[in-house]
Amino acid sequence: MPLIPKSHPRVKSLLIREKLVNGFDKGLVAKEGLLAQGRGEAFDYLLGEKTNKSASHAIKAAAAQLLVAEMPVISVNGNIAALCPKQIVKLSNQIKANLEVNLFYTNEKRKQAIVKILKKNGANKILGTKSTSSKKLPGIDSARRIVDKDGIFVADVVVVPLEDGDRTMALRKAGKTVITIDLNPLSRTSQTANITIVDNVTRAIDLLINESKKLSKKNQKSLLKIINEFDNKKNLRENVIQIKNNLTRRAKIA
Amino acid sequence: MPLIPKSHPRVKSLLIREKLVNGFDKGLVAKEGLLAQGRGEAFDYLLGEKTNKSASHAIKAAAAQLLVAEMPVISVNGNIAALCPKQIVKLSNQIKANLEVNLFYTNEKRKQAIVKILKKNGANKILGTKSTSSKKLPGIDSARRIVDKDGIFVADVVVVPLEDGDRTMALRKAGKTVITIDLNPLSRTSQTANITIVDNVTRAIDLLINESKKLSKKNQKSLLKIINEFDNKKNLRENVIQIKNNLTRRAKIA
């Protein structure tokens, strides 16, 4: 790994990047995952590289949704395993959700590497690993529609951080309530999900854990009120406005 | 390589991505190059994935600048070699500029793979390959300041498509006129270069070749007029406005 110069003004972003590159070296991340991270970096840069008010609002709605869920499942891919394995296991314990390894670019070896890192970070049960448990979601190209019959297939609420648009649509069509974490407020995933947290996963998951803890004291009625009052389209528009304001500000400084 | 579903709405972008992933497999592209491509994809998406008027304007100024240059050099990195080796060689022939392989993450094996692909695409002379020709640029962290004494070191105009901000600054400090191709109008490279073409290299280089052909019939005075009338800061601001307008439009459709 080449040395990152400390004098570089984007050293923080370069260090997250290094985490992902290390994840690639360990066989967790696909090549396409490196590209996806790059796209995320660009949007994070435009969002000011911090959790904004709209994201906090979406995180609260997501926490409420997860607390009222009967069978929530968290979908884990290589980038999540490389960037925040500890947090994703912590989130699954906090909200009592199963973890399911679900890859866009299927690869058995990579799947095993992801299972290993999740176990190392405290995960007990991990779905999506046995071919005997495979079930197909309808309405999506063949290779990418496989889910676990005891996981996503029967889940009522699915958390898909960093997901592809086609799969998000397939999940919605299958009747799932979808929560996503996506830095591009205009992506199909963002636009298709029920609740979109427009934030970096390395910041958002910790906040989601905290919010879930806080809201766990509330009753069902209060939680449903939070969910019903949340408007995902409005939230996404606020994020677009945020990017536009940041562009104006940066263009003035430049 | 996994199959790209034809039904995917971003199939064009996925095919460029595939080119870069293939370049990675051939040893041309660094892991960090995959991430950089991802960032570019995001900005290209925001720019509408087409060459806009401001970019055409910058391409014209760049062509004029290259035609009046006494010793122009084109810096080639792994991503350029993977995305458009044929075009970059064609550009170097058109404007009579030397090609110099210059990598952010130095790696001898990768350098040789880049040289090989450039030669395969018709390049005769390639600088930046002999350690005996190395010279150091001042004002930049050690590992990244090495250039060729017969190339960038003595060049008056340097084309650096997809360059890092630190190096662009070092080139400017060394008195070079810098032309860059960068999809982020707010990046340090974009803000530091003399002429910034805010466009995808896979579109811009062909257009730069055509413009150079067209302008080669003009006299020195006309060319200097084009250069003097070009205002890079204004051009970059126009690109930021373009992104903001696209965001407004997309947010309405979404």
Side-chain angles (χ1 to χ4, degrees), chain A residues 2 5 8-9 17 25 31-32 34-35 37-39 41 45-46 105 141 164 186 188 191 244 248 254, chain B residues 1-2 5 8-9 17 24-25 31 34-35 37-39 41 45-46 105 141 164 186 191 244 248 254:
Chain A
H8 200 288
R17 192 180 304 174
D25 292 337
K31 287 171 277 189
E32 292 77 6
L34 294 174
L35 282 143
Q37 168 75 9
R39 288 195 298 284
E41 278 179 14
Y45 167 92
L46 292 172
Y105 294 104
D141 275 350
D164 164 72
L186 295 167
R188 282 187 312 141
Q191 296 287 336
K244 284 172 67 181
T248 307
Chain B
M1 190 63 212
H8 200 287
R17 192 180 304 173
F24 176 81
D25 292 336
K31 285 170 278 188
L34 294 175
L35 283 143
Q37 169 76 9
R39 290 194 297 285
E41 278 179 14
Y45 167 91
L46 292 172
Y105 295 103
D141 276 351
D164 163 72
L186 294 167
Q191 296 288 334
K244 285 173 65 181
T248 307

Side-chain angles (χ1 to χ4, degrees), chain B residues 165-186:
Chain B
D166 278 351
R167 293 224 296 205
T168 307
M169 277 184 185
L171 291 170
R172 285 301 308 274
K173 276 185 197 156
K176 315 294 178 194
T177 296
V178 178
I179 297 168
T180 192
I181 306 172
D182 192 319
L183 281 157
N184 175 1
L186 294 167

Side-chain angles (χ1 to χ4, degrees), chain B residues 148-160:
Chain B
D148 195 302
K149 71 175 174 55
D150 302 315
I152 290 174
F153 196 78
V154 288
D156 56 344
V157 178
V158 188
V159 183
V160 284

Side-chain angles (χ1 to χ4, degrees), chain B residues 63-224:
Chain B
Q65 184 68 72
L66 287 168
L67 290 166
V68 302
E70 296 202 354
M71 197 178 280
V73 171
I74 303 168
S75 178
V76 180
N77 65 15
N79 285 31
I80 290 293
L83 291 174
C84 43
K86 207 180 192 104
Q87 289 105 307
I88 207 80
V89 173
K90 207 172 155 196
L91 177 67
S92 80
N93 289 330
Q94 178 63 33
I95 57 167
K96 291 170 189 61
N98 276 322
L99 292 168
E100 176 169 338
V101 180
N102 212 301
L103 307 181
F104 186 90
Y105 295 103
T106 317
N107 176 314
E108 199 47 46
K109 211 171 150 195
R110 200 152 64 80
K111 196 175 258 186
Q112 289 313 319
I114 294 169
V115 167
K116 199 175 151 194
I117 193 108
L118 290 175
K119 283 194 175 158
K120 200 177 151 193
N121 282 278
N124 295 314
K125 189 179 167 189
I126 301 161
L127 299 170
T129 57
K130 283 181 289 185
S131 59
T132 51
S133 296
S134 294
K135 268 271 199 184
K136 287 174 183 170
L137 278 183
I140 182 164
D141 276 351
S142 58
R144 300 177 300 144
R145 66 178 166 187
I146 294 163
V147 294
D148 195 302
K149 71 175 174 55
D150 302 315
I152 290 174
F153 196 78
V154 288
D156 56 344
V157 178
V158 188
V159 183
V160 284
L162 314 178
E163 187 51 277
D164 163 72
D166 278 351
R167 293 224 296 205
T168 307
M169 277 184 185
L171 291 170
R172 285 301 308 274
K173 276 185 197 156
K176 315 294 178 194
T177 296
V178 178
I179 297 168
T180 192
I181 306 172
D182 192 319
L183 281 157
N184 175 1
L186 294 167
S187 76
R188 284 187 310 142
T189 297
S190 288
Q191 296 288 334
T192 308
N194 298 75
I195 300 171
T196 305
I197 300 165
V198 181
D199 199 9
N200 194 313
V201 290
T202 64
R203 294 187 299 263
I205 295 176
D206 276 334
L207 297 170
L208 187 52
I209 295 166
N210 289 344
E211 197 63 44
S212 302
K213 264 186 211 161
K214 229 198 292 180
L215 293 185
S216 65
K217 290 151 198 151
K218 300 251 181 192
N219 62 25
Q220 190 88 351
K221 203 184 148 191
S222 310
L223 296 174
L224 289 173

Side-chain angles (χ1 to χ4, degrees), chain A residues 87-107:
Chain A
Q87 289 105 307
I88 208 80
V89 173
K90 207 172 153 194
L91 177 67
S92 79
N93 288 330
Q94 178 64 35
I95 58 168
K96 292 172 189 61
N98 277 323
L99 292 168
E100 176 167 337
V101 180
N102 211 301
L103 308 180
F104 186 89
Y105 294 104
T106 316
N107 176 314

Side-chain angles (χ1 to χ4, degrees), chain A residues 133-145:
Chain A
S133 296
S134 293
K135 267 272 198 184
K136 287 174 183 171
L137 277 182
I140 183 164
D141 275 350
S142 57
R144 301 177 298 144
R145 66 178 167 185

